[in-house]
Amino acid sequence: DLFNHKKIRHLPIVNESGRLIGIISLTDILRLSFGNYFGEQEGADFAVLEMLTVQQVMRHHPHTVSSSDKILE
């Protein structure tokens, strides 16, 4: 998968015009996994992930900063 293959932890989600509308993390996706609760349930995990969209799982309205903001702000 993209997160593991590219060693990515978070992905920004943009709309058609390129505006940031959300962010999704590997943790957000792992929360949907049943493997930790019911043993190895890869089929169930795949079915859940196949039904959901990025918009349903992503965190909406992420906080943003300007590139000119100071780190301590």
Side-chain angles (χ1 to χ4, degrees), residues 29-69:
I29 295 170
L30 291 176
R31 281 190 191 117
L32 304 171
S33 173
F34 291 104
N36 292 338
Y37 302 107
F38 302 109
E40 294 301 318
Q41 295 290 324
E42 291 180 25
D45 289 346
F46 181 80
V48 168
L49 295 175
E50 188 71 16
M51 290 185 325
L52 297 172
T53 65
V54 169
Q55 186 172 7
Q56 290 172 305
V57 178
M58 72 182 192
R59 294 176 188 252
H60 296 264
H61 312 293
H63 296 283
T64 61
V65 296
S66 170
S67 62
S68 62
D69 288 349

Side-chain angles (χ1 to χ4, degrees), residues 14-41:
V14 297
N15 63 12
E16 296 81 19
S17 62
R19 183 173 165 260
L20 180 68
I21 59 169
I23 192 162
I24 192 167
S25 70
L26 181 56
T27 303
D28 296 329
I29 295 170
L30 291 176
R31 281 190 191 117
L32 304 171
S33 173
F34 291 104
N36 292 338
Y37 302 107
F38 302 109
E40 294 301 318
Q41 295 290 324

